[in-house]
Amino acid sequence: MIVNLITFASFLHKQASIRVSHEVVLSELEKHFTVNLVDYQDAEQLGPDDFKLVFIATGGVEQPVVQYFETLSHPVVMLADGIQNSLAAALELSSWLRNRGLRNEILHGEVSVIVQRIRTHYQNFQAKRSLFGLRIGVIGSPSPWLIASGVDYLLTKRRWGVEYTDIPLERIYELYDKITDNEVGASCAAFASQALACREATPEDLLKAMRLYRAIRRVCEEEKLSAVTLNCFKLIEQIGTTGCLALSLLNNEGILAGCEGDLQTIFTLLASRVLTGKVGFMANPSMVNIHNHEIIFAHCTIPTKLTEQYIIRNHFETNSSIGIQGVMPTGEVTIIRCGCECLDEYYLSTGTLMENTNYLKLCRTQIRVKMDSPVDYFLKNPIGNHHIVLPGNHEEALNEFLQANTCKRVE
């Protein structure tokens, strides 16, 4: 791991003396990282994939930092060991940045703590760079009831580097019609053989759902998509099959897939996976118990890789085609949703998955989660409907990443 320290020092100090003056902290950092000292006047030579921190080596550097502010990474992370008034200068700069609404941090004190903070900032940097250039396919328009789940494509690309691209449903229909039952028969048999049971769905339902999966998969390959969100209810009207199986299988394969054309939640899935490596379950908060801090999350699709076993059902709202009832393992989970049109707000909490429920009038996959924070948010201040359930506790990493990118946490 290479750490480029963009070095600011007073003209009274020669570059050669900087290394000697700060030998203690630099030699300790070099036990963990490859450290490059880069004079601030040469910072423009570093590329966007180079990890950079600001090294305040002396006092009296406030004006150069302001002058070269645009060349720095954001948030601005400043290393200051206190030698030669470096901490005093860092404090002044931190105040200047804060007064302009810019997030910053001073690394100072125990080297072990500094090393851990550098690793965290590097992880956030890598995650943000991983998002840059990724493409999210929007197949069909968002469902009309998602009135608070839209995004501004341009602002989102500027903030996160992610590109949304619209894909007409007609393209899916055309590919779907070309795929025969014989082409997907073996895949259907394999999927059914691994299921715990098959209830309302018929073999014909499974064949049609698998053909849809193949059609969407083809479009993802042709468009080089990292994620896709699907207006599944229009599909039901047109070709008589749901997208639940397709979305489950795509998520299993690492192409993140969400329902109902929800633009905010598909980004949440993508950002969460980039940072944690985990695929999530996109679900509706369907029942809220304020006194017990419990929520029932439910939806008709789930990546089967998240389940201990699954049952092939029909789709809850339409009583047709394919829905998936997954049984998730109990234990710690993280609940997250990114919201607002430029995706600069988020909800985040941890909890414990207590049991898989089976209410008759809810979507097929259902889990009861006891939350570690009050559930009033869902009734008083929600930033949308769908939320992502991630196995494990990832609150610290997700919060660090979103805070580093100047997002507001909603509670």
Side-chain angles (χ1 to χ4, degrees), residues 213 216-217 220 226-228 243-259 265-266 269-270 273 277-282 301-306 388:
Y213 155 70
I216 297 174
R217 185 73 168 81
C220 290
S226 298
V228 64
C244 302
L245 174 66
L247 302 182
S248 175
L249 296 180
L250 288 168
N251 277 309
N252 283 348
E253 296 174 1
I255 299 175
L256 301 180
C259 318
T265 308
I266 190 59
L269 266 175
L270 187 59
R273 202 277 301 276
K278 303 293 184 181
V279 175
F281 169 39
M282 173 182 172
T301 186
I302 184 172
T304 56
K305 68 184 296 183
L306 290 184
I388 301 301

PDB file of all heavy atoms in Angstrom, residues 213 216-217 220 226-228 243-259 265-266 269-270 273 277-282 301-306 388:
ATOM      1  N   TYR A 213     -34.659 -14.159 -17.180  1.00  0.00           N
ATOM      2  CA  TYR A 213     -33.318 -14.012 -16.612  1.00  0.00           C
ATOM      3  C   TYR A 213     -32.257 -13.988 -17.719  1.00  0.00           C
ATOM      4  O   TYR A 213     -31.360 -13.139 -17.718  1.00  0.00           O
ATOM      5  CB  TYR A 213     -33.036 -15.154 -15.634  1.00  0.00           C
ATOM      6  CG  TYR A 213     -31.569 -15.457 -15.465  1.00  0.00           C
ATOM      7  CD1 TYR A 213     -30.721 -14.569 -14.800  1.00  0.00           C
ATOM      8  CD2 TYR A 213     -31.019 -16.626 -16.000  1.00  0.00           C
ATOM      9  CE1 TYR A 213     -29.379 -14.839 -14.664  1.00  0.00           C
ATOM     10  CE2 TYR A 213     -29.670 -16.903 -15.869  1.00  0.00           C
ATOM     11  CZ  TYR A 213     -28.849 -16.007 -15.207  1.00  0.00           C
ATOM     12  OH  TYR A 213     -27.517 -16.277 -15.080  1.00  0.00           O
ATOM     13  N   ILE A 216     -32.346 -10.585 -19.593  1.00  0.00           N
ATOM     14  CA  ILE A 216     -31.758  -9.480 -18.829  1.00  0.00           C
ATOM     15  C   ILE A 216     -30.249  -9.660 -18.719  1.00  0.00           C
ATOM     16  O   ILE A 216     -29.481  -8.696 -18.826  1.00  0.00           O
ATOM     17  CB  ILE A 216     -32.407  -9.387 -17.434  1.00  0.00           C
ATOM     18  CG1 ILE A 216     -33.907  -9.079 -17.568  1.00  0.00           C
ATOM     19  CG2 ILE A 216     -31.724  -8.315 -16.589  1.00  0.00           C
ATOM     20  CD1 ILE A 216     -34.661  -9.114 -16.248  1.00  0.00           C
ATOM     21  N   ARG A 217     -29.821 -10.896 -18.515  1.00  0.00           N
ATOM     22  CA  ARG A 217     -28.382 -11.183 -18.420  1.00  0.00           C
ATOM     23  C   ARG A 217     -27.666 -10.778 -19.712  1.00  0.00           C
ATOM     24  O   ARG A 217     -26.567 -10.211 -19.670  1.00  0.00           O
ATOM     25  CB  ARG A 217     -28.182 -12.676 -18.167  1.00  0.00           C
ATOM     26  CG  ARG A 217     -26.729 -13.087 -17.924  1.00  0.00           C
ATOM     27  CD  ARG A 217     -26.285 -12.624 -16.552  1.00  0.00           C
ATOM     28  NE  ARG A 217     -25.023 -13.206 -16.134  1.00  0.00           N
ATOM     29  CZ  ARG A 217     -23.820 -12.788 -16.510  1.00  0.00           C
ATOM     30  NH1 ARG A 217     -23.708 -11.762 -17.338  1.00  0.00           N
ATOM     31  NH2 ARG A 217     -22.732 -13.353 -16.052  1.00  0.00           N
ATOM     32  N   CYS A 220     -27.272  -7.023 -19.754  1.00  0.00           N
ATOM     33  CA  CYS A 220     -26.221  -6.613 -18.816  1.00  0.00           C
ATOM     34  C   CYS A 220     -24.837  -6.805 -19.430  1.00  0.00           C
ATOM     35  O   CYS A 220     -23.943  -5.967 -19.263  1.00  0.00           O
ATOM     36  CB  CYS A 220     -26.333  -7.415 -17.518  1.00  0.00           C
ATOM     37  SG  CYS A 220     -27.776  -7.002 -16.511  1.00  0.00           S
ATOM     38  N   SER A 226     -22.948  -3.027 -14.169  1.00  0.00           N
ATOM     39  CA  SER A 226     -22.582  -3.581 -12.866  1.00  0.00           C
ATOM     40  C   SER A 226     -23.811  -3.811 -11.997  1.00  0.00           C
ATOM     41  O   SER A 226     -23.757  -4.566 -11.026  1.00  0.00           O
ATOM     42  CB  SER A 226     -21.628  -2.634 -12.134  1.00  0.00           C
ATOM     43  OG  SER A 226     -20.428  -2.477 -12.859  1.00  0.00           O
ATOM     44  N   ALA A 227     -24.897  -3.134 -12.351  1.00  0.00           N
ATOM     45  CA  ALA A 227     -26.137  -3.258 -11.588  1.00  0.00           C
ATOM     46  C   ALA A 227     -27.306  -2.930 -12.504  1.00  0.00           C
ATOM     47  O   ALA A 227     -27.149  -2.276 -13.540  1.00  0.00           O
ATOM     48  CB  ALA A 227     -26.125  -2.325 -10.378  1.00  0.00           C
ATOM     49  N   VAL A 228     -28.483  -3.382 -12.095  1.00  0.00           N
ATOM     50  CA  VAL A 228     -29.674  -3.160 -12.906  1.00  0.00           C
ATOM     51  C   VAL A 228     -30.888  -3.076 -11.990  1.00  0.00           C
ATOM     52  O   VAL A 228     -30.949  -3.751 -10.952  1.00  0.00           O
ATOM     53  CB  VAL A 228     -29.852  -4.297 -13.942  1.00  0.00           C
ATOM     54  CG1 VAL A 228     -30.095  -5.631 -13.252  1.00  0.00           C
ATOM     55  CG2 VAL A 228     -30.951  -3.988 -14.927  1.00  0.00           C
ATOM     56  N   GLY A 243     -39.977 -10.662 -12.399  1.00  0.00           N
ATOM     57  CA  GLY A 243     -38.523 -10.596 -12.449  1.00  0.00           C
ATOM     58  C   GLY A 243     -37.839 -11.174 -11.221  1.00  0.00           C
ATOM     59  O   GLY A 243     -36.615 -11.105 -11.114  1.00  0.00           O
ATOM     60  N   CYS A 244     -38.602 -11.765 -10.299  1.00  0.00           N
ATOM     61  CA  CYS A 244     -38.026 -12.199  -9.013  1.00  0.00           C
ATOM     62  C   CYS A 244     -36.894 -13.208  -9.196  1.00  0.00           C
ATOM     63  O   CYS A 244     -35.830 -13.080  -8.576  1.00  0.00           O
ATOM     64  CB  CYS A 244     -39.114 -12.799  -8.133  1.00  0.00           C
ATOM     65  SG  CYS A 244     -40.494 -11.684  -7.803  1.00  0.00           S
ATOM     66  N   LEU A 245     -37.101 -14.213 -10.018  1.00  0.00           N
ATOM     67  CA  LEU A 245     -36.058 -15.222 -10.236  1.00  0.00           C
ATOM     68  C   LEU A 245     -34.846 -14.588 -10.907  1.00  0.00           C
ATOM     69  O   LEU A 245     -33.693 -14.838 -10.511  1.00  0.00           O
ATOM     70  CB  LEU A 245     -36.598 -16.361 -11.094  1.00  0.00           C
ATOM     71  CG  LEU A 245     -35.569 -17.412 -11.512  1.00  0.00           C
ATOM     72  CD1 LEU A 245     -35.057 -18.167 -10.300  1.00  0.00           C
ATOM     73  CD2 LEU A 245     -36.146 -18.366 -12.542  1.00  0.00           C
ATOM     74  N   ALA A 246     -35.078 -13.766 -11.919  1.00  0.00           N
ATOM     75  CA  ALA A 246     -33.968 -13.129 -12.640  1.00  0.00           C
ATOM     76  C   ALA A 246     -33.116 -12.290 -11.706  1.00  0.00           C
ATOM     77  O   ALA A 246     -31.882 -12.362 -11.731  1.00  0.00           O
ATOM     78  CB  ALA A 246     -34.518 -12.265 -13.779  1.00  0.00           C
ATOM     79  N   LEU A 247     -33.756 -11.495 -10.850  1.00  0.00           N
ATOM     80  CA  LEU A 247     -33.014 -10.629  -9.951  1.00  0.00           C
ATOM     81  C   LEU A 247     -32.228 -11.443  -8.933  1.00  0.00           C
ATOM     82  O   LEU A 247     -31.093 -11.105  -8.588  1.00  0.00           O
ATOM     83  CB  LEU A 247     -33.965  -9.664  -9.243  1.00  0.00           C
ATOM     84  CG  LEU A 247     -34.802  -8.759 -10.163  1.00  0.00           C
ATOM     85  CD1 LEU A 247     -35.666  -7.808  -9.331  1.00  0.00           C
ATOM     86  CD2 LEU A 247     -33.915  -7.974 -11.105  1.00  0.00           C
ATOM     87  N   SER A 248     -32.812 -12.518  -8.448  1.00  0.00           N
ATOM     88  CA  SER A 248     -32.122 -13.384  -7.501  1.00  0.00           C
ATOM     89  C   SER A 248     -30.856 -13.974  -8.112  1.00  0.00           C
ATOM     90  O   SER A 248     -29.774 -13.924  -7.512  1.00  0.00           O
ATOM     91  CB  SER A 248     -33.053 -14.510  -7.048  1.00  0.00           C
ATOM     92  OG  SER A 248     -32.386 -15.425  -6.217  1.00  0.00           O
ATOM     93  N   LEU A 249     -30.979 -14.506  -9.315  1.00  0.00           N
ATOM     94  CA  LEU A 249     -29.838 -15.144  -9.958  1.00  0.00           C
ATOM     95  C   LEU A 249     -28.762 -14.135 -10.346  1.00  0.00           C
ATOM     96  O   LEU A 249     -27.561 -14.414 -10.235  1.00  0.00           O
ATOM     97  CB  LEU A 249     -30.300 -15.923 -11.190  1.00  0.00           C
ATOM     98  CG  LEU A 249     -31.241 -17.107 -10.921  1.00  0.00           C
ATOM     99  CD1 LEU A 249     -31.626 -17.790 -12.223  1.00  0.00           C
ATOM    100  CD2 LEU A 249     -30.609 -18.107  -9.961  1.00  0.00           C
ATOM    101  N   LEU A 250     -29.175 -12.952 -10.797  1.00  0.00           N
ATOM    102  CA  LEU A 250     -28.197 -11.923 -11.141  1.00  0.00           C
ATOM    103  C   LEU A 250     -27.392 -11.504  -9.907  1.00  0.00           C
ATOM    104  O   LEU A 250     -26.175 -11.353  -9.967  1.00  0.00           O
ATOM    105  CB  LEU A 250     -28.900 -10.710 -11.753  1.00  0.00           C
ATOM    106  CG  LEU A 250     -29.447 -10.902 -13.169  1.00  0.00           C
ATOM    107  CD1 LEU A 250     -30.359  -9.750 -13.541  1.00  0.00           C
ATOM    108  CD2 LEU A 250     -28.316 -11.027 -14.185  1.00  0.00           C
ATOM    109  N   ASN A 251     -28.079 -11.315  -8.785  1.00  0.00           N
ATOM    110  CA  ASN A 251     -27.380 -10.980  -7.548  1.00  0.00           C
ATOM    111  C   ASN A 251     -26.416 -12.086  -7.135  1.00  0.00           C
ATOM    112  O   ASN A 251     -25.315 -11.816  -6.652  1.00  0.00           O
ATOM    113  CB  ASN A 251     -28.388 -10.709  -6.424  1.00  0.00           C
ATOM    114  CG  ASN A 251     -28.934  -9.296  -6.446  1.00  0.00           C
ATOM    115  OD1 ASN A 251     -28.178  -8.333  -6.493  1.00  0.00           O
ATOM    116  ND2 ASN A 251     -30.241  -9.158  -6.416  1.00  0.00           N
ATOM    117  N   ASN A 252     -26.832 -13.322  -7.325  1.00  0.00           N
ATOM    118  CA  ASN A 252     -25.937 -14.440  -7.016  1.00  0.00           C
ATOM    119  C   ASN A 252     -24.633 -14.345  -7.802  1.00  0.00           C
ATOM    120  O   ASN A 252     -23.562 -14.702  -7.313  1.00  0.00           O
ATOM    121  CB  ASN A 252     -26.614 -15.772  -7.367  1.00  0.00           C
ATOM    122  CG  ASN A 252     -27.659 -16.199  -6.349  1.00  0.00           C
ATOM    123  OD1 ASN A 252     -27.757 -15.627  -5.256  1.00  0.00           O
ATOM    124  ND2 ASN A 252     -28.438 -17.201  -6.693  1.00  0.00           N
ATOM    125  N   GLU A 253     -24.733 -13.854  -9.033  1.00  0.00           N
ATOM    126  CA  GLU A 253     -23.580 -13.813  -9.940  1.00  0.00           C
ATOM    127  C   GLU A 253     -22.750 -12.545  -9.795  1.00  0.00           C
ATOM    128  O   GLU A 253     -21.716 -12.399 -10.448  1.00  0.00           O
ATOM    129  CB  GLU A 253     -24.064 -13.933 -11.389  1.00  0.00           C
ATOM    130  CG  GLU A 253     -24.731 -15.269 -11.686  1.00  0.00           C
ATOM    131  CD  GLU A 253     -25.331 -15.303 -13.082  1.00  0.00           C
ATOM    132  OE1 GLU A 253     -25.204 -14.298 -13.806  1.00  0.00           O
ATOM    133  OE2 GLU A 253     -25.933 -16.324 -13.433  1.00  0.00           O
ATOM    134  N   GLY A 254     -23.218 -11.611  -8.955  1.00  0.00           N
ATOM    135  CA  GLY A 254     -22.454 -10.387  -8.755  1.00  0.00           C
ATOM    136  C   GLY A 254     -22.928  -9.205  -9.573  1.00  0.00           C
ATOM    137  O   GLY A 254     -22.347  -8.122  -9.484  1.00  0.00           O
ATOM    138  N   ILE A 255     -23.967  -9.399 -10.409  1.00  0.00           N
ATOM    139  CA  ILE A 255     -24.608  -8.260 -11.083  1.00  0.00           C
ATOM    140  C   ILE A 255     -25.752  -7.829 -10.180  1.00  0.00           C
ATOM    141  O   ILE A 255     -26.780  -8.508 -10.102  1.00  0.00           O
ATOM    142  CB  ILE A 255     -25.129  -8.630 -12.478  1.00  0.00           C
ATOM    143  CG1 ILE A 255     -23.978  -9.090 -13.368  1.00  0.00           C
ATOM    144  CG2 ILE A 255     -25.846  -7.436 -13.118  1.00  0.00           C
ATOM    145  CD1 ILE A 255     -24.423  -9.588 -14.725  1.00  0.00           C
ATOM    146  N   LEU A 256     -25.582  -6.727  -9.473  1.00  0.00           N
ATOM    147  CA  LEU A 256     -26.563  -6.343  -8.465  1.00  0.00           C
ATOM    148  C   LEU A 256     -27.860  -5.933  -9.135  1.00  0.00           C
ATOM    149  O   LEU A 256     -27.868  -5.182 -10.109  1.00  0.00           O
ATOM    150  CB  LEU A 256     -25.999  -5.221  -7.603  1.00  0.00           C
ATOM    151  CG  LEU A 256     -24.697  -5.608  -6.898  1.00  0.00           C
ATOM    152  CD1 LEU A 256     -24.184  -4.467  -6.050  1.00  0.00           C
ATOM    153  CD2 LEU A 256     -24.881  -6.850  -6.045  1.00  0.00           C
ATOM    154  N   ALA A 257     -28.967  -6.439  -8.600  1.00  0.00           N
ATOM    155  CA  ALA A 257     -30.256  -6.282  -9.273  1.00  0.00           C
ATOM    156  C   ALA A 257     -31.334  -5.952  -8.254  1.00  0.00           C
ATOM    157  O   ALA A 257     -31.417  -6.590  -7.196  1.00  0.00           O
ATOM    158  CB  ALA A 257     -30.600  -7.567 -10.032  1.00  0.00           C
ATOM    159  N   GLY A 258     -32.148  -4.954  -8.586  1.00  0.00           N
ATOM    160  CA  GLY A 258     -33.212  -4.519  -7.693  1.00  0.00           C
ATOM    161  C   GLY A 258     -34.549  -4.427  -8.384  1.00  0.00           C
ATOM    162  O   GLY A 258     -34.641  -4.423  -9.615  1.00  0.00           O
ATOM    163  N   CYS A 259     -35.591  -4.333  -7.575  1.00  0.00           N
ATOM    164  CA  CYS A 259     -36.971  -4.368  -8.064  1.00  0.00           C
ATOM    165  C   CYS A 259     -37.526  -2.968  -8.323  1.00  0.00           C
ATOM    166  O   CYS A 259     -37.033  -1.973  -7.816  1.00  0.00           O
ATOM    167  CB  CYS A 259     -37.880  -5.043  -7.034  1.00  0.00           C
ATOM    168  SG  CYS A 259     -37.216  -6.498  -6.255  1.00  0.00           S
ATOM    169  N   THR A 265     -32.302   2.644  -4.185  1.00  0.00           N
ATOM    170  CA  THR A 265     -31.951   1.396  -3.510  1.00  0.00           C
ATOM    171  C   THR A 265     -30.949   0.586  -4.312  1.00  0.00           C
ATOM    172  O   THR A 265     -30.100  -0.105  -3.739  1.00  0.00           O
ATOM    173  CB  THR A 265     -33.217   0.561  -3.236  1.00  0.00           C
ATOM    174  OG1 THR A 265     -34.177   1.377  -2.571  1.00  0.00           O
ATOM    175  CG2 THR A 265     -32.901  -0.618  -2.344  1.00  0.00           C
ATOM    176  N   ILE A 266     -31.002   0.657  -5.639  1.00  0.00           N
ATOM    177  CA  ILE A 266     -30.009  -0.092  -6.422  1.00  0.00           C
ATOM    178  C   ILE A 266     -28.621   0.513  -6.212  1.00  0.00           C
ATOM    179  O   ILE A 266     -27.617  -0.218  -6.149  1.00  0.00           O
ATOM    180  CB  ILE A 266     -30.382  -0.142  -7.924  1.00  0.00           C
ATOM    181  CG1 ILE A 266     -29.466  -1.127  -8.656  1.00  0.00           C
ATOM    182  CG2 ILE A 266     -30.337   1.224  -8.561  1.00  0.00           C
ATOM    183  CD1 ILE A 266     -29.505  -2.533  -8.136  1.00  0.00           C
ATOM    184  N   LEU A 269     -27.405  -0.864  -2.887  1.00  0.00           N
ATOM    185  CA  LEU A 269     -26.882  -2.223  -3.063  1.00  0.00           C
ATOM    186  C   LEU A 269     -25.461  -2.194  -3.612  1.00  0.00           C
ATOM    187  O   LEU A 269     -24.575  -2.915  -3.141  1.00  0.00           O
ATOM    188  CB  LEU A 269     -27.779  -3.000  -4.028  1.00  0.00           C
ATOM    189  CG  LEU A 269     -28.904  -3.866  -3.484  1.00  0.00           C
ATOM    190  CD1 LEU A 269     -29.730  -4.437  -4.637  1.00  0.00           C
ATOM    191  CD2 LEU A 269     -28.374  -5.002  -2.613  1.00  0.00           C
ATOM    192  N   LEU A 270     -25.250  -1.347  -4.605  1.00  0.00           N
ATOM    193  CA  LEU A 270     -23.955  -1.284  -5.277  1.00  0.00           C
ATOM    194  C   LEU A 270     -22.879  -0.742  -4.343  1.00  0.00           C
ATOM    195  O   LEU A 270     -21.791  -1.322  -4.214  1.00  0.00           O
ATOM    196  CB  LEU A 270     -24.066  -0.415  -6.526  1.00  0.00           C
ATOM    197  CG  LEU A 270     -22.840  -0.359  -7.453  1.00  0.00           C
ATOM    198  CD1 LEU A 270     -22.477  -1.739  -7.961  1.00  0.00           C
ATOM    199  CD2 LEU A 270     -23.113   0.587  -8.618  1.00  0.00           C
ATOM    200  N   ARG A 273     -21.977  -3.228  -1.555  1.00  0.00           N
ATOM    201  CA  ARG A 273     -21.172  -4.359  -2.010  1.00  0.00           C
ATOM    202  C   ARG A 273     -19.714  -3.934  -2.249  1.00  0.00           C
ATOM    203  O   ARG A 273     -18.776  -4.652  -1.906  1.00  0.00           O
ATOM    204  CB  ARG A 273     -21.774  -4.946  -3.281  1.00  0.00           C
ATOM    205  CG  ARG A 273     -21.378  -6.414  -3.560  1.00  0.00           C
ATOM    206  CD  ARG A 273     -20.054  -6.567  -4.227  1.00  0.00           C
ATOM    207  NE  ARG A 273     -19.987  -5.880  -5.496  1.00  0.00           N
ATOM    208  CZ  ARG A 273     -20.407  -6.374  -6.650  1.00  0.00           C
ATOM    209  NH1 ARG A 273     -20.914  -7.583  -6.705  1.00  0.00           N
ATOM    210  NH2 ARG A 273     -20.305  -5.657  -7.760  1.00  0.00           N
ATOM    211  N   GLY A 277     -18.173  -6.012   0.325  1.00  0.00           N
ATOM    212  CA  GLY A 277     -18.077  -7.282  -0.380  1.00  0.00           C
ATOM    213  C   GLY A 277     -19.305  -8.146  -0.238  1.00  0.00           C
ATOM    214  O   GLY A 277     -19.336  -9.284  -0.725  1.00  0.00           O
ATOM    215  N   LYS A 278     -20.364  -7.631   0.398  1.00  0.00           N
ATOM    216  CA  LYS A 278     -21.572  -8.406   0.665  1.00  0.00           C
ATOM    217  C   LYS A 278     -22.715  -7.998  -0.264  1.00  0.00           C
ATOM    218  O   LYS A 278     -22.895  -6.829  -0.573  1.00  0.00           O
ATOM    219  CB  LYS A 278     -22.030  -8.211   2.110  1.00  0.00           C
ATOM    220  CG  LYS A 278     -20.990  -8.575   3.151  1.00  0.00           C
ATOM    221  CD  LYS A 278     -20.709 -10.068   3.167  1.00  0.00           C
ATOM    222  CE  LYS A 278     -19.731 -10.427   4.276  1.00  0.00           C
ATOM    223  NZ  LYS A 278     -19.430 -11.881   4.293  1.00  0.00           N
ATOM    224  N   VAL A 279     -23.500  -8.997  -0.683  1.00  0.00           N
ATOM    225  CA  VAL A 279     -24.737  -8.746  -1.421  1.00  0.00           C
ATOM    226  C   VAL A 279     -25.874  -8.649  -0.412  1.00  0.00           C
ATOM    227  O   VAL A 279     -25.898  -9.398   0.575  1.00  0.00           O
ATOM    228  CB  VAL A 279     -25.018  -9.878  -2.425  1.00  0.00           C
ATOM    229  CG1 VAL A 279     -26.361  -9.679  -3.107  1.00  0.00           C
ATOM    230  CG2 VAL A 279     -23.907  -9.938  -3.458  1.00  0.00           C
ATOM    231  N   GLY A 280     -26.805  -7.729  -0.620  1.00  0.00           N
ATOM    232  CA  GLY A 280     -27.880  -7.512   0.339  1.00  0.00           C
ATOM    233  C   GLY A 280     -29.230  -7.994  -0.148  1.00  0.00           C
ATOM    234  O   GLY A 280     -29.410  -8.380  -1.304  1.00  0.00           O
ATOM    235  N   PHE A 281     -30.189  -7.968   0.762  1.00  0.00           N
ATOM    236  CA  PHE A 281     -31.587  -8.312   0.511  1.00  0.00           C
ATOM    237  C   PHE A 281     -32.380  -7.016   0.478  1.00  0.00           C
ATOM    238  O   PHE A 281     -32.470  -6.298   1.466  1.00  0.00           O
ATOM    239  CB  PHE A 281     -32.084  -9.254   1.616  1.00  0.00           C
ATOM    240  CG  PHE A 281     -33.568  -9.498   1.640  1.00  0.00           C
ATOM    241  CD1 PHE A 281     -34.300  -9.638   0.468  1.00  0.00           C
ATOM    242  CD2 PHE A 281     -34.231  -9.615   2.851  1.00  0.00           C
ATOM    243  CE1 PHE A 281     -35.671  -9.879   0.496  1.00  0.00           C
ATOM    244  CE2 PHE A 281     -35.599  -9.862   2.898  1.00  0.00           C
ATOM    245  CZ  PHE A 281     -36.327  -9.992   1.722  1.00  0.00           C
ATOM    246  N   MET A 282     -32.948  -6.682  -0.677  1.00  0.00           N
ATOM    247  CA  MET A 282     -33.769  -5.481  -0.841  1.00  0.00           C
ATOM    248  C   MET A 282     -35.190  -5.814  -0.401  1.00  0.00           C
ATOM    249  O   MET A 282     -35.818  -6.721  -0.942  1.00  0.00           O
ATOM    250  CB  MET A 282     -33.755  -5.045  -2.308  1.00  0.00           C
ATOM    251  CG  MET A 282     -34.700  -3.920  -2.638  1.00  0.00           C
ATOM    252  SD  MET A 282     -34.616  -3.535  -4.411  1.00  0.00           S
ATOM    253  CE  MET A 282     -35.980  -2.373  -4.553  1.00  0.00           C
ATOM    254  N   THR A 301     -38.300 -11.539  -3.614  1.00  0.00           N
ATOM    255  CA  THR A 301     -37.058 -11.997  -4.209  1.00  0.00           C
ATOM    256  C   THR A 301     -35.935 -11.831  -3.208  1.00  0.00           C
ATOM    257  O   THR A 301     -35.973 -10.941  -2.358  1.00  0.00           O
ATOM    258  CB  THR A 301     -36.726 -11.229  -5.499  1.00  0.00           C
ATOM    259  OG1 THR A 301     -35.574 -11.805  -6.103  1.00  0.00           O
ATOM    260  CG2 THR A 301     -36.481  -9.757  -5.231  1.00  0.00           C
ATOM    261  N   ILE A 302     -34.973 -12.699  -3.298  1.00  0.00           N
ATOM    262  CA  ILE A 302     -33.776 -12.619  -2.470  1.00  0.00           C
ATOM    263  C   ILE A 302     -32.685 -13.415  -3.174  1.00  0.00           C
ATOM    264  O   ILE A 302     -32.988 -14.444  -3.809  1.00  0.00           O
ATOM    265  CB  ILE A 302     -34.028 -13.179  -1.054  1.00  0.00           C
ATOM    266  CG1 ILE A 302     -32.786 -12.988  -0.165  1.00  0.00           C
ATOM    267  CG2 ILE A 302     -34.425 -14.653  -1.106  1.00  0.00           C
ATOM    268  CD1 ILE A 302     -33.020 -13.345   1.295  1.00  0.00           C
ATOM    269  N   PRO A 303     -31.442 -12.971  -3.157  1.00  0.00           N
ATOM    270  CA  PRO A 303     -30.383 -13.814  -3.709  1.00  0.00           C
ATOM    271  C   PRO A 303     -30.351 -15.148  -2.955  1.00  0.00           C
ATOM    272  O   PRO A 303     -30.237 -15.158  -1.726  1.00  0.00           O
ATOM    273  CB  PRO A 303     -29.108 -13.003  -3.457  1.00  0.00           C
ATOM    274  CG  PRO A 303     -29.577 -11.591  -3.258  1.00  0.00           C
ATOM    275  CD  PRO A 303     -30.923 -11.686  -2.639  1.00  0.00           C
ATOM    276  N   THR A 304     -30.476 -16.237  -3.662  1.00  0.00           N
ATOM    277  CA  THR A 304     -30.521 -17.524  -2.963  1.00  0.00           C
ATOM    278  C   THR A 304     -29.212 -17.821  -2.241  1.00  0.00           C
ATOM    279  O   THR A 304     -29.185 -18.626  -1.307  1.00  0.00           O
ATOM    280  CB  THR A 304     -30.858 -18.667  -3.933  1.00  0.00           C
ATOM    281  OG1 THR A 304     -29.913 -18.675  -5.016  1.00  0.00           O
ATOM    282  CG2 THR A 304     -32.260 -18.493  -4.491  1.00  0.00           C
ATOM    283  N   LYS A 305     -28.113 -17.158  -2.625  1.00  0.00           N
ATOM    284  CA  LYS A 305     -26.842 -17.355  -1.932  1.00  0.00           C
ATOM    285  C   LYS A 305     -26.899 -16.814  -0.511  1.00  0.00           C
ATOM    286  O   LYS A 305     -26.050 -17.160   0.323  1.00  0.00           O
ATOM    287  CB  LYS A 305     -25.699 -16.708  -2.707  1.00  0.00           C
ATOM    288  CG  LYS A 305     -25.731 -15.188  -2.755  1.00  0.00           C
ATOM    289  CD  LYS A 305     -24.628 -14.596  -3.617  1.00  0.00           C
ATOM    290  CE  LYS A 305     -23.254 -14.887  -3.082  1.00  0.00           C
ATOM    291  NZ  LYS A 305     -22.188 -14.254  -3.895  1.00  0.00           N
ATOM    292  N   LEU A 306     -27.885 -15.958  -0.200  1.00  0.00           N
ATOM    293  CA  LEU A 306     -28.046 -15.443   1.154  1.00  0.00           C
ATOM    294  C   LEU A 306     -28.877 -16.374   2.031  1.00  0.00           C
ATOM    295  O   LEU A 306     -29.037 -16.115   3.230  1.00  0.00           O
ATOM    296  CB  LEU A 306     -28.716 -14.059   1.132  1.00  0.00           C
ATOM    297  CG  LEU A 306     -27.915 -12.879   0.582  1.00  0.00           C
ATOM    298  CD1 LEU A 306     -28.711 -11.595   0.739  1.00  0.00           C
ATOM    299  CD2 LEU A 306     -26.575 -12.756   1.287  1.00  0.00           C
ATOM    300  N   ILE A 388     -32.007  -2.044   2.508  1.00  0.00           N
ATOM    301  CA  ILE A 388     -31.137  -3.184   2.239  1.00  0.00           C
ATOM    302  C   ILE A 388     -30.735  -3.840   3.557  1.00  0.00           C
ATOM    303  O   ILE A 388     -30.305  -3.160   4.494  1.00  0.00           O
ATOM    304  CB  ILE A 388     -29.867  -2.747   1.477  1.00  0.00           C
ATOM    305  CG1 ILE A 388     -30.249  -2.094   0.142  1.00  0.00           C
ATOM    306  CG2 ILE A 388     -28.940  -3.939   1.255  1.00  0.00           C
ATOM    307  CD1 ILE A 388     -31.037  -2.971  -0.792  1.00  0.00           C
TER     308      ILE A 388
END
